[in-house]
Amino acid sequence: MAEVARRPIALVTAAVLFLEAPGIVALNGIMAGFVEAQSMSLDGMDPDAMVAGTWGLGIGSGVALVLCGLVALVAGIRDRRPGRAGRGLLIGCAVVHGILGAVAVGLIGWGAFAFLMAVVGLVVLTLVAYGKTDGEGAGAPEEAPAAV
């Protein structure tokens, strides 16, 4: 992949993840409002625990998306591939978006699926664009093995 395209791809990925983070928190906030207004529970659980859990999931998901966005932003600004932990975070983000896309196509529709797959594509493209470069792993010259 052309090295010119790496930086814009990483920056667009970061922007999309930063915009998605407050959206997921707001969505979970709306669901928590429904749970609280209707006093819902699962198998006799306390409705207040359900509301707190929904808010906790939303805030945790938002923080995870912001962290993924920061990894992509730092990669785009430095024009270097993320470290091991950053790559793991981005891989996890792509996997979660893929699973959510598979669920969303049945529950919400093709529009949500398309959005989630676009995010998966951007995250994977960021990972692939900053893959191994030609200079890495070339520390030792290649030699034929010695005869025994």
Side-chain angles (χ1 to χ4, degrees):
M1 174 175 297
E3 292 182 13
V4 178
R6 292 191 313 193
R7 182 171 280 174
I9 290 169
L11 294 176
V12 168
T13 302
V16 167
L17 291 173
F18 286 144
L19 290 173
E20 188 180 3
I24 198 74
V25 173
L27 182 67
N28 277 280
I30 291 169
M31 289 191 305
F34 287 143
V35 169
E36 187 173 24
Q38 296 183 4
S39 190
M40 292 180 185
S41 69
L42 287 174
D43 195 29
M45 270 182 79
D46 183 23
D48 292 334
M50 299 287 293
V51 171
T54 304
W55 272 111
L57 177 66
I59 292 170
S61 299
V63 168
L65 287 170
V66 167
L67 287 175
C68 292
L70 284 174
V71 169
L73 181 66
V74 168
I77 290 173
R78 291 183 181 172
D79 201 24
R80 290 182 12 199
R81 72 187 233 172
R84 179 175 289 184
R87 286 192 311 265
L89 195 61
L90 289 176
I91 290 168
C93 182
V95 168
V96 168
H97 276 84
I99 292 169
L100 286 176
V103 171
V105 72
L107 295 176
I108 301 171
W110 289 103
F113 174 78
F115 172 75
L116 289 166
M117 290 304 110
V119 175
V120 169
L122 283 171
V123 172
V124 169
L125 195 54
T126 299
L127 286 167
V128 170
Y130 285 104
K132 290 192 182 272
T133 59
D134 295 335
E136 293 182 18
E142 292 186 27
E143 298 178 2
V148 180

